[in-house]
Amino acid sequence: MKRVTLAIATALCILALLSGCGGSADTYKAGTYTAAAEGYAGGVDVEVEFDQDSLLSVKITDHNETVGIGDRAIEELPDKIVEELTWEVDAVASATVTSDAIKAAVKDCIEQAKSK
């Protein structure tokens, strides 16, 4: 009886895990989108490139953030966003305002790419 219960529980766990594998992936209208958000020292402009299935690149095209502080977020966050395929990444320590501006602008681009 214990073996049957264990086998059923194992099968249910496997089914639960596999059900997430074929989930509904986001689709985008391929192209390059731009947006801006207010950073610590002014606007932070971003350019985000998409293909139909994925976020391909994030570039900061203009900013006036503080050298040595805000520019750490400018350098680090774009790669992290592309690597994790989401704007919901951790902020760079000591550069929270700049990080939040980058994330907000990228989120705006994602929303643009999703709307059809």
Side-chain angles (χ1 to χ4, degrees):
M1 185 66 171
K2 287 182 182 180
R3 284 187 177 172
V4 172
T5 304
L6 182 59
I8 291 172
T10 301
L12 289 174
C13 288
I14 291 170
L15 284 174
L17 288 171
L18 291 176
S19 68
C21 292
S24 59
D26 289 329
T27 58
Y28 306 101
K29 184 171 180 188
T32 302
Y33 299 84
T34 60
E38 193 65 25
Y40 184 79
V44 176
D45 299 343
V46 302
E47 180 180 278
V48 183
E49 183 181 5
F50 297 87
D51 66 11
Q52 183 178 355
D53 301 313
S54 185
L55 185 156
L56 300 174
S57 70
V58 174
K59 296 177 187 170
I60 310 301
T61 57
D62 193 29
H63 73 89
N64 294 308
E65 299 304 279
T66 307
V67 175
I69 300 173
D71 62 351
R72 284 190 46 236
I74 300 292
E75 294 168 7
E76 295 175 24
L77 275 186
D79 290 340
K80 187 185 271 189
I81 290 168
V82 172
E83 181 181 310
E84 297 187 25
L85 298 174
T86 181
W87 64 270
E88 297 178 283
V89 296
D90 291 336
V92 173
S94 301
T96 305
V97 175
T98 303
S99 296
D100 289 347
I102 294 168
K103 295 188 317 181
V106 170
K107 180 182 178 188
D108 185 347
C109 290
I110 291 171
E111 290 170 355
Q112 292 176 48
K114 283 184 179 180
S115 62
K116 297 180 180 174

